[in-house]
Amino acid sequence: MGVLLSIGTRKGLFLLSGDAEDGHWQLEGPLLPGWSVYHAVVDPRDNVLYACSNNWVYGGSFHRSSDLGKTWERTEEVGLPEESGLKLAATWHVEPGRRSEPGDVWLGGDPGVLFRSSDGGKTWEANQGILEHPTREKWQPGAGGMCCHSIQVADGAVYVGISAAGAFRSDDGGETWAPINANVAADFLPEKYPEVGQCVHKLLMHPGRPERLWQQNHCGVYRSDDRGESWERLDGNGLPSGFGFPLALEPESPDVAYVIPEESAENRVTSDGRLGVYRTGDGGATWELWSDGLPDQAWAAVMREGFASDENGVYFGTQSGSVWTAPRSGGWTEAARDLPPILSVEAAEWS
Amino acid sequence: MAVILLPSLLAAEAGGRKRFELDAKTVGEALRALPVAPLLFDEGGELRRLVNVYVDGADVRGAEGLDTQLTPTASVRVVAAVAGG
């Protein structure tokens, strides 16, 4: 069994199929030429390929393919109700729902909005709980806009991360959303620990221990073991910087996480002029650099969606168009290079 | 009938069809009848800022905008603004 990487780029979608162990990869694309693909993922329930497609002229859109990109169907319309006074600026992240709910798919976008589909992404309905959230007036757009970029679906809970609004949890299927930002710093605000306004860069739930959440934030790396009720900051023990965007977990090891730190919010390139992946195997107590095979000197940037892992390996793509892959133990291989700026990487089983 | 011509990205989204012949009285009526209308208009029904429309070579923003009248032989060309990178 190999892996299929969906590589969303500024100029289309690429598919990279192969195996992290033997290092042989085959590139296909660009698919959806002319579209910036902010995020793409294969739905593990039915192998439908979803893409958050955006164009500077034609706005935010969404495409789905039932034959892995040979043909595409565009969602007829994805937009916000006129009475909201908001307009969709971009689609950012698509998340398949629970296995027990075929066709259930979630979509995040800018300006801090969430949609849900019950027909596999053919039609979408804006989530009113997020759209009319009582704290919305306190949310501020970050450099990437006010994007809903993280959606995690568990049995009994749904989590979203919106920058710079914070993390939220719904325990009632998306009707209402509680801010879950306690102990998470917002150093850029006058009040350092507000209820909302934290700039979460990426939020992930561990699939095998769903009460455990991780987040790479504008102000540090955090872990929660109680569904976001409280957070522990983890970046003072081996990481060169608490600033960064991407985050990846190991599906079968709740104590393992990977980050790719950047120098600082003011200088958004890899720390110390080195492209380095940092791994913790003890829940964030310590971090170790994992850079075998990566260039010694590199001032790269990996976007928030540009990092993925599965039971076979770890994968990331850079804004300079390289895709790096590694088996769990071993060195990194440049599986593709000279692609357009990479916005997202997702891994799916492939045979 | 008026002829509507689409740029390549929109044509790809319209099933590969670049040219449409439509019986429409105004530019707005013609554009809203296209299968790619959601890409041309935002949620408020406004023509997206970077979508330019020319009728017989003249920018409709210099005429009546979406209310610009179409003659039966009008040629309507949709052009993406020169933007991006």
Side-chain angles (χ1 to χ4, degrees):
Chain A
M1 188 69 74
V3 61
L4 178 70
L5 300 180
S6 311
I7 316 283
T9 81
R10 190 73 70 194
K11 301 178 190 225
L13 173 67
F14 293 81
L15 299 178
L16 192 60
S17 51
D19 189 316
E21 287 286 348
D22 68 20
H24 292 299
W25 296 92
Q26 186 168 354
L27 185 69
E28 183 186 349
L31 310 172
L32 296 173
W35 293 95
S36 287
V37 177
Y38 284 24
H39 182 233
V41 67
V42 176
D43 190 329
R45 299 169 298 184
D46 54 11
N47 288 327
V48 172
L49 174 60
Y50 301 125
C52 296
S53 44
N54 295 282
N55 180 277
W56 70 86
V57 176
Y58 307 117
S61 191
F62 184 83
H63 285 76
R64 66 193 301 282
S65 171
S66 299
D67 51 17
L68 285 182
K70 291 182 180 65
T71 59
W72 292 92
E73 178 185 352
R74 191 188 73 257
T75 289
E76 184 62 25
E77 200 156 359
V78 52
L80 300 167
E82 198 171 350
E83 59 271 20
S84 71
L86 299 173
K87 291 181 179 177
L88 181 68
T91 54
W92 268 84
H93 181 93
V94 53
E95 187 73 25
R98 284 175 276 262
R99 281 198 176 270
S100 57
E101 295 179 88
D104 186 43
V105 188
W106 299 76
L107 174 67
D110 182 348
V113 291
L114 180 68
F115 300 88
R116 189 174 188 180
S117 172
S118 59
D119 55 12
K122 292 176 185 162
T123 60
W124 295 97
E125 188 174 343
N127 180 276
Q128 294 295 323
I130 287 292
L131 195 60
E132 298 171 356
H133 199 274
T135 65
R136 176 172 277 273
E137 64 182 26
K138 297 178 184 172
W139 304 357
Q140 299 176 19
M146 195 160 70
C147 46
C148 178
H149 50 67
S150 297
I151 306 167
Q152 298 285 274
V153 184
D155 285 333
V158 182
Y159 301 90
V160 297
I162 303 172
S163 58
F168 299 84
R169 188 187 72 228
S170 175
D171 295 328
D172 55 12
E175 290 289 315
T176 59
W177 297 85
I180 48 167
N181 303 298
N183 318 340
V184 178
D187 292 339
F188 47 87
L189 292 177
E191 184 185 350
K192 301 303 178 201
Y193 293 93
E195 179 191 25
V196 295
Q198 285 85 347
C199 192
V200 51
H201 286 177
K202 193 66 200 165
L203 174 75
L204 292 176
M205 173 191 74
H206 193 274
R209 192 188 290 179
E211 71 278 11
R212 172 166 284 191
L213 307 176
W214 294 78
Q215 69 167 290
Q216 170 68 70
N217 192 282
H218 194 96
C219 304
V221 179
Y222 295 83
R223 195 195 75 238
S224 170
D225 287 337
D226 54 9
R227 306 165 74 238
E229 291 297 318
S230 63
W231 294 88
E232 181 183 353
R233 189 166 179 169
L234 304 165
D235 49 292
N237 36 20
L239 289 182
S241 160
F243 188 85
F245 286 89
L247 172 69
L249 307 179
E250 277 188 8
E252 70 280 14
S253 308
D255 288 336
V256 175
Y258 302 91
V259 294
I260 304 176
E262 294 188 355
E263 196 80 32
S264 68
E266 292 77 27
N267 188 22
R268 299 181 180 197
V269 294
T270 41
S271 295
D272 304 323
R274 165 196 277 158
L275 180 53
V277 174
Y278 285 77
R279 177 186 187 276
T280 179
D282 53 16
T286 59
W287 298 86
E288 286 185 1
L289 175 64
W290 178 21
S291 62
D292 300 347
L294 294 176
D296 288 336
Q297 282 194 319
W299 291 268
V302 180
M303 306 293 270
R304 72 181 84 236
E305 301 274 38
F307 204 5
S309 76
D310 62 12
E311 58 273 13
N312 298 311
V314 187
Y315 321 93
F316 71 89
T318 67
Q319 279 212 63
S320 37
S322 290
V323 179
W324 292 92
T325 69
R328 280 292 169 71
S329 56
W332 291 93
T333 301
E334 191 176 31
R337 64 186 309 178
D338 300 325
L339 301 183
I342 293 171
L343 307 178
S344 69
V345 175
E346 284 282 0
E349 282 185 2
W350 173 78
S351 58
Chain B
M1 288 200 284
V3 172
I4 322 293
L5 299 169
L6 300 182
S8 58
L9 189 144
L10 290 181
E13 295 297 326
R17 200 170 156 196
K18 222 172 182 169
R19 177 190 165 100
F20 289 78
E21 290 185 16
L22 293 169
D23 189 9
K25 290 189 174 62
T26 66
V27 167
E29 192 182 331
L31 297 183
R32 288 192 180 95
L34 294 171
V36 292
L39 299 176
L40 302 175
F41 297 94
D42 66 22
E43 299 99 315
E46 293 175 25
L47 191 65
R48 295 186 190 275
R49 191 171 57 86
L50 296 176
V51 174
N52 294 332
V53 182
Y54 297 87
V55 174
D56 296 328
D59 189 339
V60 299
R61 288 194 175 95
E64 301 296 319
L66 295 174
D67 295 329
T68 302
Q69 298 288 309
L70 295 180
T71 65
T73 59
S75 172
V76 180
R77 188 176 288 272
V78 178
V79 179
V82 179

